[in-house]
Amino acid sequence: KLQKRIAASAATCLKPGGCMLYSTCTYSIEENENVTEWLLGKFPDLNIESVDIDIPNIMQGIGCKDYIRILPNDYFDGFSFGILRKAL
């Protein structure tokens, strides 16, 4: 509930064409893809953008293919992110 409140607050502040990076220091579905999908449903003028980065420990989101999961490796812990843009 807290993640949704924080993300919704940020989404309401976006200007048309503005974007927000929704990221957490976990790769749990509940904190990431579920919150992102909830945001997309609550704010129909938001869209998730495709991200193209080439690193070996990347994984597409579960259920939300444009959400990015970075799996833990020798250099850092896992985290997740998605870029949401408000329509013009």
Side-chain angles (χ1 to χ4, degrees):
K1 290 181 183 181
L2 178 60
Q3 290 295 104
K4 287 179 180 177
R5 275 200 333 250
I6 293 168
S9 177
T12 60
C13 295
L14 286 175
K15 294 179 180 180
C19 69
M20 69 182 256
L21 172 69
Y22 178 71
S23 180
T24 69
C25 59
T26 72
Y27 48 94
S28 78
I29 295 169
E30 294 80 14
E31 282 190 86
N32 297 298
E33 289 97 326
N34 288 0
V35 173
T36 301
E37 289 176 357
W38 177 83
L39 279 170
L40 294 172
K42 182 167 178 65
F43 298 94
D45 55 349
L46 283 183
N47 296 297
I48 190 162
E49 295 196 343
S50 180
V51 177
D52 185 23
I53 56 176
D54 185 23
I55 58 175
N57 56 328
I58 193 169
M59 180 180 160
Q60 285 184 325
I62 297 172
C64 187
K65 70 176 181 68
D66 289 323
Y67 202 84
I68 302 296
R69 298 166 140 237
I70 307 295
L71 303 176
N73 66 15
D74 292 339
Y75 302 106
F76 47 80
D77 294 331
F79 63 97
S80 300
F81 70 91
I83 298 174
L84 300 164
R85 184 171 302 275
K86 186 173 184 176
L88 293 174

